[in-house]
Amino acid sequence: MMFITHISLGLLLGLIIVKSTALPVSQSLFIGAIILGSLFPDIDSATSFIGKRMKLVSLFFKHRGAIHSLPVMAACTMLFFIITGNAYYTMAFLLGYLSHLLIDSLTPMGVAWMWPSKKRIRGALRTTGIFDFLLLLFFTALDLALIVA
Ligand SMILES: [Zn+2]
């Protein structure tokens, strides 16, 4: 999916949580951590929004390989917790990461959730295809509705 679709879904999850719970941490940092998590997996793509800024990573990791998997998600989340020391922001990062893997699983390339197993969960919605744009539109509409609500 397009990076902007990942952001719009991350933002949606963040808005739902901050509007429905009393978080003892900064709401904007919480949403920021979800959005970071929702973009992070594409660090393995040299052409992605985040991968362009971290080109080295894509030399070592195949796109939609290890970094798009549950084991590496768990490792990155632990690292995030070690760096931030905050369980709430870590949960937010994890949620964003998970949302990324979920909607990437809707694409033909799919996601190897249990890497190093090569078994992939795939769908038929192409990245930058009509459904990617429709999802973007749908998530963005909900984002705006929650922002003004
Ligand atoms: Zn991805």
Side-chain angles (χ1 to χ4, degrees):
M1 294 290 167
M2 299 181 293
F3 87 95
I4 190 80
T5 309
H6 287 298
I7 291 179
S8 65
L9 175 58
L11 179 61
L12 178 62
L13 296 171
L15 288 168
I16 291 172
I17 293 170
V18 301
K19 294 233 171 212
S20 60
T21 56
L23 288 172
V25 291
S26 153
Q27 292 189 340
S28 16
L29 284 180
F30 186 85
I31 291 177
I34 295 190
I35 290 176
L36 179 67
S38 73
L39 287 177
F40 188 84
D42 280 344
I43 201 167
D44 64 9
S45 158
T47 57
S48 75
F49 176 77
I50 188 166
K52 268 186 214 152
R53 288 149 182 88
M54 304 282 285
K55 277 212 162 71
L56 209 61
V57 179
S58 59
L59 295 178
F60 296 99
F61 294 95
K62 203 177 83 190
H63 181 46
R64 296 272 187 100
I67 295 178
H68 283 68
S69 75
L70 288 181
V72 174
M73 179 185 78
C76 290
T77 302
M78 272 186 257
L79 194 67
F80 187 91
F81 182 67
I82 290 167
I83 293 167
T84 64
N86 184 295
Y88 290 94
Y89 298 143
T90 303
M91 287 301 291
F93 178 83
L94 175 66
L95 191 63
Y97 206 124
L98 201 58
S99 77
H100 185 112
L101 300 188
L102 278 172
I103 60 171
D104 269 2
S105 296
L106 301 174
T107 65
M109 193 178 189
V111 168
W113 282 81
M114 292 313 292
W115 178 92
S117 160
K118 287 189 165 54
K119 190 170 168 26
R120 288 179 173 268
I121 295 180
R122 308 167 194 271
L125 312 187
R126 298 196 175 281
T127 300
T128 71
I130 181 76
F131 285 102
D132 196 349
F133 282 99
L134 288 175
L135 276 180
L136 170 63
L137 218 64
F138 178 66
F139 295 145
T140 306
L142 291 176
D143 288 340
L144 293 174
L146 281 175
I147 288 168
V148 297

